[in-house]
Amino acid sequence: MYNVRKVTEDLYWIGGDDHRLHLFENIHPIPRGVSYNSYLLLDKKTVLFDTVDWSIGRQFLENLEHVLDGRPLDYMVINHMEPDHAAMIEEVMLRYPKVKVISSEKAFYFMNQFGFHIDSSKTEIVKEGDKKSFGKHEILFVAAPMVHWPEAMVSFDTTNGVLFSADAFGSFGALDGKLFNDEVNFDRDWIDDARRYYTNIVGKYGPHVQALLKKAAGIDIKIVCPLHGPVWRNNLGYFIDKYDKWSRYEPEEKGVMIVYASMYGNTENAASVLASKLVEKGMNNVVMYDVSKTHISQLISETFKYSNVVLASVTYNLGIYPLMHNYLMDMKALNVQNRTFAILENGSWACESGRLMREFLENMRNMTVLDEKVTLTSSMTAEQIGEMDTLVDSIINSMK
Ligand code: FEO
C-alpha cells in the first residue's frame, strides 16, 4: 500500500522509514530508526528529487507509481548520490526508461564508480547557479560540496521557496507519519538525534556548511526538504541557528561534560566527586559519561553541545585507556575545536594518561587545557580534596 504525504499543492513526500537498521553507515546506532526522504513534483513535467535506500525500495516504488498516477516520470534530480539516497536510480530508470537524470558532473562520476550505468543521452549536468524550468516551477541548482560528499548540491524552487537540502538539516529518527517539524516536539524529542546526525556525519566539514549557510541567507527559503528527518515549514531560524553554531564549532551551552574511563570504579568515584563539587559551587549543567558504555557517536554529539569537557582516565598499557583514545581520535577527525578541557588522571604506577591526553589536545585546533589537574594513585584520598577544589574552581573560572 502506498504511504505518501503532501508537502505543497503539487509536491509529495514519497520516502519511507527504516526501523530495522541497527547501525547507520554500519557504525552509528539508530534506535529510533531513520527516514529516507524522496520528493515528487507534479508540474508540467514530473520531477523526482533523489531516491532512497534499498531497504525501503519497495515502498518507494509503490509511492512513486501512485503519485504519478499514470503520468510518465520526466526528470530525476540527484542532489546527493550516496547510496542511502541513490540506490534506486537504476531501478527507477528501468521502470521509467524515458527519465532524464539531472545532477552535478562529480555525481555522475561517482555513479559510474558505484556501478550505476546511465546512458549519457539520459544525463543532464548542472552546475552552481544553473536554472531549469519544469513548467510553473523553476529550480535553481546550488553546489554544496562536502555537505556531505564532494558531489553534493541542493536545489531551490524559486517559485515557492522550497529548498531540497540533501543531507543538510537532516536527522536520525523515523518519521512515523509525522512529516513536518510542527507535527513533532523537535526540541524535546528530536534535537539530540539531529545533533548526533549532524556532528558525526557532517561535523568534519564545518567551513563547507558555513559556506552553504551563507548562500542560503541570500534566498527566500520557505520550506526545507532534507533527505532524512522532518520537513521544516516554519521556525526555520531555530534549526539554522543550531547548524550555524555546530558548523562554527561553538558550544550550544555553558556546561561541563565529564567523560571517564574507569576499570574498578575509582576514577569514576573521583569524577563523581568532581561533579558534586561543580554543582555545589553553582554549575549544575553537568553530565557524566562512562566512555566504556556510551557510544562514541553520543560522546561526539555531546562534545559539540557543551563548552567544557573533563577527561578522567586511567593509564592503560602505559597509555591512554583505549576507548578514551578512540574518543579523542574521533574528536580530532571531526575537527572539534574551541573547547576547554580539564584533566583527571589515574595510574597505580607510571601514571601517563594525563600527560598523553594533554599532548593530544594541544595538537588539536583551538583547544584550551587547564593547568590544574588531579592525579590519582589508584584511588582518591581525603588529602586530595583541596586539589579537587582547585580544579573545580579553575573549571568554573574558565566559564566566566
Ligand atoms: Fe544521507 Fe550523505 O547521505
Side-chain angles (χ1 to χ4, degrees):
M1 176 65 189
Y2 62 83
N3 182 15
V4 303
R5 295 269 325 254
K6 234 179 177 187
V7 179
T8 66
E9 54 167 3
D10 50 7
L11 179 69
Y12 290 79
W13 172 85
I14 60 165
D17 289 330
D18 186 347
H19 282 285
R20 293 189 172 193
L21 186 70
H22 287 281
L23 297 174
F24 187 83
E25 293 186 347
N26 214 10
I27 182 167
H28 308 296
I30 43 169
R32 294 174 59 244
V34 67
S35 76
Y36 301 106
N37 300 337
S38 170
Y39 305 91
L40 182 62
L41 178 67
L42 300 180
D43 200 350
K44 196 166 166 203
K45 298 291 181 185
T46 57
V47 190
L48 176 67
F49 290 89
D50 294 290
T51 74
V52 297
D53 189 75
W54 271 117
S55 59
I56 61 155
R58 193 172 161 205
Q59 177 74 68
F60 161 75
L61 291 169
E62 208 167 336
N63 291 347
L64 176 59
E65 189 180 355
H66 167 70
V67 178
L68 281 171
D69 194 23
R71 290 185 65 181
L73 180 62
D74 298 309
Y75 290 97
M76 175 158 49
V77 173
I78 301 300
N79 286 305
H80 182 26
M81 72 72 47
E82 192 167 4
D84 57 330
H85 308 293
M88 298 298 292
I89 290 177
E90 280 187 309
E91 187 63 32
V92 169
M93 296 194 74
L94 284 172
R95 289 172 188 241
Y96 303 92
K98 293 197 171 143
V99 68
K100 276 203 154 186
V101 185
I102 299 174
S103 197
S104 67
E105 188 172 17
K106 205 163 254 166
F108 286 116
Y109 279 128
F110 283 1
M111 286 178 215
N112 209 30
Q113 284 179 202
F114 275 91
F116 303 163
H117 301 296
I118 304 176
D119 191 287
S120 58
S121 65
K122 303 258 177 68
T123 63
E124 209 170 303
I125 293 172
V126 287
K127 56 183 189 324
E128 169 83 14
D130 283 354
K131 289 179 178 170
K132 187 174 176 72
S133 174
F134 296 100
K136 192 170 80 171
H137 295 265
E138 179 197 58
I139 301 292
L140 166 70
F141 301 100
V142 179
M146 302 321 298
V147 187
H148 133 242
W149 277 15
E151 93 303 351
M153 63 178 195
V154 299
S155 303
F156 179 64
D157 187 333
T158 61
T159 311
N160 60 5
V162 172
L163 177 71
F164 299 94
S165 63
D167 272 347
F169 305 109
S171 177
F172 292 143
L175 294 168
D176 297 341
K178 299 166 292 253
L179 178 63
F180 296 102
N181 68 299
D182 53 30
E183 294 171 337
V184 300
N185 187 333
F186 198 89
D187 199 49
R188 186 190 67 195
D189 300 331
W190 280 80
I191 188 64
D192 285 344
D193 259 339
R195 185 187 302 104
R196 200 163 57 84
Y197 168 83
Y198 171 83
T199 57
N200 287 279
I201 306 295
V202 195
K204 182 178 182 65
Y205 306 111
H208 295 86
V209 175
Q210 278 289 310
L212 181 61
L213 288 175
K214 281 199 181 76
K215 289 184 194 177
I219 51 180
D220 187 16
I221 301 168
K222 301 262 188 340
I223 298 177
V224 177
C225 292
L227 290 176
H228 304 283
V231 167
W232 286 76
R233 63 181 174 187
N234 53 36
N235 203 16
L236 302 186
Y238 164 87
F239 210 23
I240 289 172
D241 180 59
K242 297 287 185 195
Y243 261 67
D244 185 41
K245 281 204 172 74
W246 295 335
S247 56
R248 282 188 290 114
Y249 304 97
E250 289 222 343
E252 284 168 70
E253 293 180 11
K254 279 198 173 183
V256 184
M257 172 190 184
I258 303 171
V259 185
Y260 62 90
S262 186
M263 292 163 65
Y264 300 106
N266 294 300
T267 307
E268 179 178 4
N269 165 255
S272 300
V273 171
L274 187 143
S276 297
K277 286 183 176 296
L278 282 166
V279 176
E280 264 175 8
K281 294 189 180 196
M283 172 38 66
N284 56 13
N285 194 10
V286 175
V287 290
M288 286 183 64
Y289 290 103
D290 183 338
V291 77
S292 302
K293 285 196 174 165
T294 314
H295 193 270
I296 198 162
S297 66
Q298 176 71 9
L299 295 175
I300 290 296
S301 179
E302 293 290 270
T303 309
F304 270 74
K305 181 175 177 183
Y306 293 104
S307 58
N308 286 60
V309 182
V310 177
L311 301 178
S313 179
V314 292
T315 301
Y316 198 89
N317 287 333
L318 289 183
I320 305 168
Y321 190 71
L323 294 168
M324 182 67 86
H325 197 213
N326 283 353
Y327 164 53
L328 285 167
M329 287 198 296
D330 211 19
M331 211 192 282
K332 188 169 186 179
L334 290 167
N335 271 331
V336 180
Q337 45 197 282
N338 306 326
R339 296 295 183 275
T340 300
F341 286 82
I343 287 175
L344 195 163
E345 61 178 351
N346 195 354
S348 296
W349 71 95
C351 184
E352 284 282 16
S353 56
R355 179 180 68 78
L356 294 170
M357 290 191 293
R358 175 181 291 277
E359 264 178 31
F360 196 103
L361 293 165
E362 284 173 350
N363 283 316
M364 289 176 68
R365 220 179 284 171
N366 299 332
M367 297 301 206
T368 303
V369 187
L370 299 177
D371 289 335
E372 297 77 10
K373 70 168 180 186
V374 171
T375 301
L376 309 180
T377 312
S378 302
S379 63
M380 186 176 166
T381 62
E383 287 73 44
Q384 292 186 290
I385 288 175
E387 279 173 53
M388 191 64 91
D389 279 323
T390 304
L391 182 60
V392 167
D393 290 340
S394 172
I395 294 169
I396 289 176
N397 280 334
S398 76
M399 299 172 84
K400 284 177 183 158

